[in-house]
Every structure is written in C-alpha cells, then in structure tokens.
Amino acid sequence: AILAQDPSIPDSPQHPFSLSLQAMGVLAKVLSLAGMLAAAEAACTTEITTVESFYAMKRDFDLIFDVRALNEYTGDGDAACNAAKADKCNMGHDPSMWMLTNANRTDMAVVYKVGDAYAVDTKIIEALKNCYGSLAGTLKVAVSCHSGARSEILQEALVAAGFACGNMYNVMPGADGMYKANASGLVKGNTQKGPWSCTAAPVTPKTTPKEAAAAARDVPLRTASSGLLFTVFAAQFLLA
C-alpha cells in the first residue's frame, strides 16, 4: 500500500493507518469487485430456455412446481387478470405441475410483489425443506410461472435453503410460452396435479448417483471459475 507521510513532521515515519487517495481508490475498487462477485455467485442460473426442451426433460423431474396465483393456475378466465396481460388467466397449467399455495393470501400466491420487488413466502420454503430436506442434494425440480421471473425467485430461495442449484431448473418460457406453443397441452382447474402438499407428493428421486455428484460439485465449480474471472478482472481493473 502507498502510505502518506505527515508533512508537518520533517522526515517523520509514515503513519501505519494513513492511506493515500490512490490507495483508498484501489481499496474501493477491490471492495466493489468483491461485491459483484458475491452477487454473481448467489444467483442460480440453471434454466430451461425453450418449450421443446421442457417437454423433452419433463419425465426426468422428481417434482414440477407452478408458483403463479390461483386464477392463473386454474385458468379461470378472470377479466381483470386478462385485461392486465392478454390471456394471463386463460392459460391453465401443464398437468404435471403442482401448485404451491400460500393460505395467507386470497390469490394463494407464494411469490408476490411487495412494492417494486418480489417476495417469497418463507413458510412454503420451510415446508418443502421439511418434506424433502434429506433429498436436497439429489432432488430434481422444475419451477414455472408465467414467463420465468417469479419462478426464478423460488428457484433461488430453494437453493439458499440447501437444494442443489444444478438440479433446480427455472422453466423460462413458463405458461405463456407453453400456451402459445400448444394451448391444448395445458389443463384448467386444480385437480391435475392441484395444490401441493408433502403427503400428496412423496418422492422417489429419479436422479442417478452420477447426476447427484455433478450437482453437488456445481456450486464449488461456479465459485472456482468465478474466482478466476475475478482475479483476471481485478488485475485489469486495478491497472486501468
């Protein structure tokens, strides 16, 4: 570090806690980069990007969750809902999807807006962890909503609760993509699969031991690669 000497004392030794503006600038850059790295590592980006890929992979999942509100999931045709976004409450859901429900809200949504940001119902995360916690490293799960935003919130909450990022898939096209691709493939009402509960949805994992090992390695690998990128960018940034 570059230390500033006290100009009032001739030939005085540099004070160990006196940093020059240049050194403070370098420190600020390092802290900024560290924050960016931490944010990048926190996000899980395991995604299904096309409807075709979802249908091809569907049978491989132990569980598929839908995090939309009740009127979206059931496709009840609510006029106000459809006025806000065309056909939003006409779509229904894929028949293999469980609806996660929040009994404390009239719309039953487990992911919902609070101000300008999404929040997730902590009780549903706790319930899922209590139900499947012993399988957290191997359970293969797909999460869907209208078009990928709310499902990403739940995906990240599950990963934070201990489920393996490599096995938590966000279905990016969501119900909107499925409806536009093949509306007849979706169902209405809430009897297929209907509201999730631990009793209703016991799981025998389909994930192979090899896949489980790969998922367990996922976070360390992302951390290592992120660390390498951080080192490279830090060097370039600090020399700029």
Side-chain angles (χ1 to χ4, degrees), residues 171-190:
V171 184
M172 294 296 291
D176 186 49
M178 295 176 206
Y179 185 75
K180 290 173 180 175
N182 179 20
S184 65
L186 304 182
V187 297
K188 298 186 179 182
N190 64 351

Side-chain angles (χ1 to χ4, degrees), residues 80-159:
C81 171
N82 289 331
K85 187 170 289 186
D87 290 321
K88 187 176 182 180
C89 285
N90 286 340
M91 297 174 181
H93 61 279
D94 183 275
S96 61
M97 292 183 178
W98 292 100
M99 180 188 173
L100 296 179
T101 59
N102 179 355
N104 294 322
R105 291 178 59 91
T106 57
D107 64 2
M108 307 295 283
V110 295
V111 179
Y112 46 89
K113 276 286 186 74
V114 176
D116 294 329
Y118 281 115
V120 63
D121 176 26
T122 55
K123 290 182 180 178
I124 195 65
I125 301 301
E126 183 179 353
L128 290 168
K129 188 173 181 179
N130 288 341
C131 185
Y132 305 119
S134 63
L135 305 173
T138 59
L139 204 66
K140 195 168 184 177
V141 177
V143 188
S144 181
C145 63
H146 179 78
S147 55
R150 285 172 285 177
S151 49
E152 181 182 8
I153 300 298
L154 186 82
Q155 176 194 36
E156 292 181 357
L158 289 173
V159 172

Side-chain angles (χ1 to χ4, degrees), residues 19-37 230 234 237-238:
L19 292 176
S20 71
L21 292 176
Q22 181 182 354
M24 290 175 67
V26 169
L27 179 61
K29 289 180 178 181
V30 170
L31 291 175
S32 175
L33 284 168
M36 291 167 62
L37 176 62
F230 174 74
F237 194 60
L238 295 176

Side-chain angles (χ1 to χ4, degrees), residues 53-64 138-142 167 169 204-208 211:
S53 295
F54 169 70
Y55 286 132
M57 297 174 66
K58 191 166 71 167
R59 292 184 179 180
D60 296 331
F61 290 110
D62 298 304
L63 292 162
I64 305 177
T138 59
L139 204 66
K140 195 168 184 177
V141 177
N167 286 338
Y169 289 77
T204 301
K206 299 183 180 70
T207 306
T208 66
E211 290 171 334

